[in-house]
Amino acid sequence: MWTSGRMSNAKNLFGLGVFLYFWGLMDLTTTVLSGSARPLTEGQEDNLSDKLHQRMKRSWVWNQFFVLEEYTGTDPLYVGKLHSDMDRGDGSIKYILSGEGAGIVFTIDDTTGDIHAIQRLDREERSQYTLRAQALDRRTGRPMEPESEFIIKIQDINDNEPKFLDGPYVASVPEMSPVGTSVIQVTATDADDPTYGNSARVVYSILQGQPYFSVDSRTGLIRTALMNMDREAKEYYEVIIQAKDMGGQLGGLAGTTTVNISLSDVNDNPPRFPQKHYQMSVLESAPISSTVGRVVAKDLDEGINAEMKYSLVDGDGLDVFDINTDPNYQVGIITVRKPLSFESKKSYTLKVEGANPHLEMRFLNLGPFRDTTTVHISVEDVDEPPVFEPSIHFVEVPEDVEIGTTIQMISAKDPDVTNNSIRYSIDRSSDPGRFFYVDITSGALMTARPLDREDISWHNITVLAMELNNPSQVGSVSVTVKVLDVNDNAPEFARFYEAFVCENAKAGQLIQTVSAIDRDDPQEGQHFYYSLAPEAVNNPNFTVRDNQDNTAWILTRRSGFRQNEQSTFYLPVLISDNGRPVLSSTGTLTVHVCSCDEEGAVMSCNAEAYVLPVSLSRGALIAILACIFVLLVLVLLILSMRRQRKQPYIIDEEENIHENIVRYDDEGGGEEDTEAFDIAAMWNPREAQLVVKNRQDMLPEIESLSRYVPQACVMDNNVHNYVLAKLYEADMDLWAPPFDSLQTYMFEGNGSVAESLSSLQSVTTDSDQSYDYLTDWGPRFKKLAEMYGATDSSGVLW
């Protein structure tokens, strides 16, 4: 079999020329095997598979075909031709193609063996295809030759431009770098076949960025091309790099990328103060660490290269002021280090230095990297409060000091030049008891009340000093007063002592141990002395023994005490202290005589009534209390029933009934109703005036009913006139409360035929009064006549 390199279609001259071109370049040979072609027998076909791995002499063999990529013609692209010497041209041989792309990318004419490409080929997507070919007997379908494998390689053309896959690039290089300093390396990739021709051979060049930078044409390494590039002059550069294939020759494809290069800062600029002289001012009252002003040195560098350190290098205020560096804004902050005084010094001069702490040795020749400026600070006067000297006082005063005694002289002065007069006072919140007084002009601190160490031993008072011309300026000082102890309290028994002595007690027997207390606190400590009071020195029953340890024993002087003779003894004991002067008091010890057993245990004495028997159990005590409680409840119940018992309305002739009290459970207006009437006017109604009094407590919601009273009810007497006057006054008062009230007036009117009905004077006579005359007074007194008139002695009112 042999392989033909001609085109099946003579119309495509381009395909024929390309095929002949590669025929001469490549070692494409077709081996024509000798011998006549003959079909395989069944035995040969059965053994064919066993002999495939043996070297055998075949009648057709081929290696590979070549075809150009990116074919743009309308007809299928001819690849090659398969032909066997067993093919006589009668169509008895059928060619079959299988493998990668068979039937999709490549097709074969089963009669002629011509292979065509029916799709566009791209070497960058796939560079070769492996296929298999076989010749079959068209009639029987049996193989005429063993199946053979061949390769179709896609031949590259220059159809891809170089690409910068990592672009655009960002790079940085220090300013002032020497020429040739490497910046960044760029790389372009060409998808064409690097093993064939110059399609993938890339050459780099710079299109924009000269004369500052250059690029290596082979490696793409960008370097600096200009010396002394200054960041402060120009910081950012945009460089455009081109990559061109075909070795940069004409007709090659090219790609570009952008490289953004910035110059990083170096410390090549020294700091400079824009001002060589600063003028500042500060109040003399400025507190410590308060800010006076700021200075700043400009540095064209940035970052760490622009950091500043400020310091005071000279001047007359080095110990009064201080300077700190603000790390955020790189400014020097001048602060107060010590208190200022306008009266002492009015101005200061400082020399401030600003320097870079981070230096680069290769730029020292551009220095010096420091600068100085002068700062003049003026101290301004303020109206300051008075100042006390000293700033604190401690005074010790005995508690028996007399009132009005000067215990300390307080002195303050105005620190200002005006030196205003000072007035002194005490902050009463510090001396609520008003124990002290300070002279308003001299500042003499005196006692105003008696002092008692036992009540208050320490006084912490605050004395104020105020300027006479400016009361808002007030100074203060703390005065601590310690009240010293004097012996002004006599010792006394520590508690109430009550002793018991047995009837069978012997002489010299201890019956009680006593002790004493003293509110005083002497420096040498407390020491008490005990003895019998002078009136009891010759007491035949008991005696006192001082133990010299602030305690004493009460001992019996005799035996044979009898309870029936005397059950209680009162023993006066004299207690003295060791103070100056010596103070003493007398304490009385109560001694009860009791019956005791042989061992001295108390059996009974006059205190027995106050002590429960030992044998009384808790249950018995509860029973007694329960009985008492039941009795109390019964008593309260009986009293309550008596109160609620209704008395019959029986009039006894012997009973002198003068008044009846009728109770109404209606509440009046309280003080509001009381204010509506003048009680004093009821005693003399002739002086009652129609004076309208406006009430301001509340607005009335309804009108008075007095205007609806029939005129026929008007009576010509002073009581009726007085009531009408009050009604008129209430009607005219728009602020009167709109509710009814009940008022009681001790006025009975004038000219009554009944004269006085009061029974207050009835007690002056012993005779029984007769009320029969009430029937003669008319219908108005009919009810009274029925109640108080003549009745049967045994009759009941109802």
Side-chain angles (χ1 to χ4, degrees), residues 234-526:
K234 186 176 181 180
E235 183 176 0
Y236 299 101
Y237 296 86
E238 185 179 74
V239 179
I240 299 178
I241 303 298
Q242 175 183 268
K244 190 174 184 181
D245 59 11
M246 298 300 292
Q249 297 178 4
L250 185 63
L253 302 179
T256 60
T257 188
T258 301
V259 183
N260 296 311
I261 302 176
S262 62
L263 299 182
S264 59
D265 185 61
V266 297
N267 194 6
D268 59 339
N269 293 279
R272 292 292 180 263
F273 282 101
Q275 294 179 235
K276 289 301 180 181
H277 181 79
Y278 288 85
Q279 182 69 36
M280 301 178 183
S281 62
V282 61
L283 298 176
E284 63 173 336
S285 60
I288 303 299
S289 300
S290 60
T291 300
V292 179
R294 291 173 171 82
V295 297
V296 59
K298 299 294 184 180
D299 194 327
L300 298 178
D301 297 322
E302 65 180 8
I304 191 175
N305 299 313
E307 290 185 1
M308 300 295 300
K309 181 176 178 58
Y310 296 93
S311 59
L312 302 177
V313 295
D314 197 6
D316 57 355
L318 298 180
D319 58 339
V320 181
F321 300 95
D322 199 359
I323 189 169
N324 301 305
T325 302
D326 187 341
N328 296 324
Y329 300 98
Q330 301 302 321
V331 298
I333 303 175
I334 300 176
T335 58
V336 178
R337 187 175 181 180
K338 289 184 178 180
L340 303 174
S341 175
F342 174 81
E343 292 73 25
S344 301
K345 191 173 179 60
K346 297 179 176 60
S347 64
Y348 296 88
T349 300
L350 301 174
K351 188 175 182 180
V352 180
E353 179 185 81
N356 287 140
H358 307 286
L359 303 178
E360 294 191 25
M361 300 302 297
R362 61 192 179 105
F363 298 119
L364 290 180
N365 59 326
L366 302 177
F369 287 83
R370 62 184 67 245
D371 195 15
T372 58
T373 187
T374 302
V375 180
H376 182 76
I377 302 176
S378 300
V379 180
E380 296 182 358
D381 186 28
V382 296
D383 192 2
E384 299 175 280
V387 178
F388 287 89
E389 294 181 359
S391 60
I392 190 172
H393 294 272
F394 177 76
V395 184
E396 292 182 343
V397 180
E399 61 178 325
D400 60 348
V401 63
E402 296 182 359
I403 297 176
T405 302
T406 299
I407 61 175
Q408 182 70 33
M409 291 299 299
I410 308 298
S411 176
K413 67 177 183 178
D414 184 6
D416 298 322
V417 177
T418 56
N419 194 16
N420 292 322
S421 299
I422 305 298
R423 292 294 180 265
Y424 300 92
S425 63
I426 293 179
D427 185 359
R428 285 307 171 190
S429 62
S430 64
D431 183 27
R434 298 181 179 269
F435 290 97
F436 301 95
Y437 168 79
V438 63
D439 187 80
I440 191 172
T441 56
S442 66
L445 183 62
M446 298 172 287
T447 57
R449 289 181 56 188
L451 303 180
D452 190 352
R453 187 203 65 85
E454 288 71 33
D455 291 337
I456 305 176
S457 60
W458 291 86
H459 296 268
N460 294 311
I461 62 177
T462 300
V463 178
L464 306 177
M466 178 182 64
E467 291 185 10
L468 182 61
N469 296 333
N470 188 2
S472 63
Q473 296 297 329
V474 179
S476 62
V477 67
S478 177
V479 180
T480 302
V481 180
K482 179 181 180 181
V483 182
L484 301 178
D485 182 56
V486 296
N487 192 24
D488 59 346
N489 290 278
E492 56 187 13
F493 277 144
R495 61 181 180 85
F496 173 75
Y497 287 102
E498 188 177 25
F500 300 92
V501 61
C502 295
E503 291 180 325
N504 56 358
K506 298 180 180 179
Q509 182 175 339
L510 174 65
I511 62 173
Q512 184 67 47
T513 300
V514 296
S515 62
I517 57 174
D518 193 334
R519 297 180 62 192
D520 295 323
D521 186 18
Q523 296 181 354
E524 61 274 11
Q526 297 279 7

Side-chain angles (χ1 to χ4, degrees), residues 74-93:
T74 58
D75 296 331
L77 177 62
Y78 181 77
V79 178
K81 184 180 180 63
L82 300 179
H83 186 72
S84 176
D85 56 357
M86 298 177 63
D87 187 1
R88 299 184 180 88
D90 55 359
S92 61
I93 300 299

Side-chain angles (χ1 to χ4, degrees), residues 188-199:
T189 302
D190 195 321
D192 293 326
D193 189 0
T195 62
Y196 174 72
N198 295 326
S199 298

Side-chain angles (χ1 to χ4, degrees), residues 7-53:
M7 300 284 291
S8 63
N9 191 354
K11 296 180 181 180
N12 198 338
L13 298 178
F14 175 76
L16 177 60
V18 172
F19 179 77
L20 293 175
Y21 171 75
F22 286 108
W23 179 274
L25 292 177
M26 307 301 295
D27 185 16
L28 180 59
T29 60
T30 303
T31 304
V32 181
L33 303 178
S34 61
S36 59
R38 55 186 181 274
L40 296 175
T41 63
E42 293 184 1
Q44 292 175 336
E45 185 177 356
D46 295 336
N47 297 329
L48 178 61
S49 60
D50 297 335
K51 297 179 180 180
L52 287 178
H53 299 286

